[in-house]
Amino acid sequence: MKLIQILKVAVIPVLTGLSLLSASNKVLADYLTSEGIGGNYRYELWSSDDNSGYYLKIWSNEASPKSEAYFTSREFTSTGEALIYFDCKYAERSLPECPR
């Protein structure tokens, strides 16, 4: 009988706290950092909730703003890396950083 009381007093509050912590992590979401246009495409630069990674959502200029992204990029470690990728691959700019 005492074991059940101990479980009620000690284990249930701990499990409740852990479930609240895990639920709060799921609420965090990515957020829009910037937008731009280059060549025949436009982009949205998104950041993870903890700023540990960035990715691009890319559309054709003719696509509706409410449409699904034409392409979602891999994750980048910085905004600069992501924007150079867009400039080289989609905006077709000749930057020193672009692969030949």
Side-chain angles (χ1 to χ4, degrees):
M1 190 69 168
K2 288 195 178 212
L3 179 61
I4 293 173
Q5 289 174 335
I6 291 172
L7 288 176
K8 285 182 182 178
V9 172
V11 175
I12 292 175
V14 169
L15 291 176
T16 302
L18 290 174
S19 67
L20 290 173
L21 287 175
S22 67
S24 67
N25 285 339
K26 293 176 186 171
V27 172
L28 299 175
D30 295 351
Y31 61 93
L32 183 62
T33 303
S34 68
E35 301 173 89
I37 295 174
N40 296 320
Y41 297 92
R42 60 188 167 82
Y43 70 85
E44 291 179 349
L45 178 61
W46 288 81
S47 173
S48 60
D49 57 339
D50 62 355
N51 289 329
S52 65
Y54 303 88
Y55 62 93
L56 294 164
K57 289 185 179 181
I58 300 169
W59 291 264
S60 166
N61 277 340
E62 292 90 33
S64 163
K66 302 221 181 238
S67 66
E68 288 286 321
Y70 160 75
F71 178 76
T72 301
S73 73
R74 65 179 174 84
E75 188 171 273
F76 300 97
T77 56
S78 70
T79 58
E81 182 185 7
L83 295 175
I84 288 169
Y85 172 83
F86 178 83
D87 285 344
C88 295
K89 185 157 177 118
Y90 292 93
E92 299 177 353
R93 294 200 173 110
S94 307
L95 301 175
E97 298 89 342
C98 296
R100 306 252 179 236

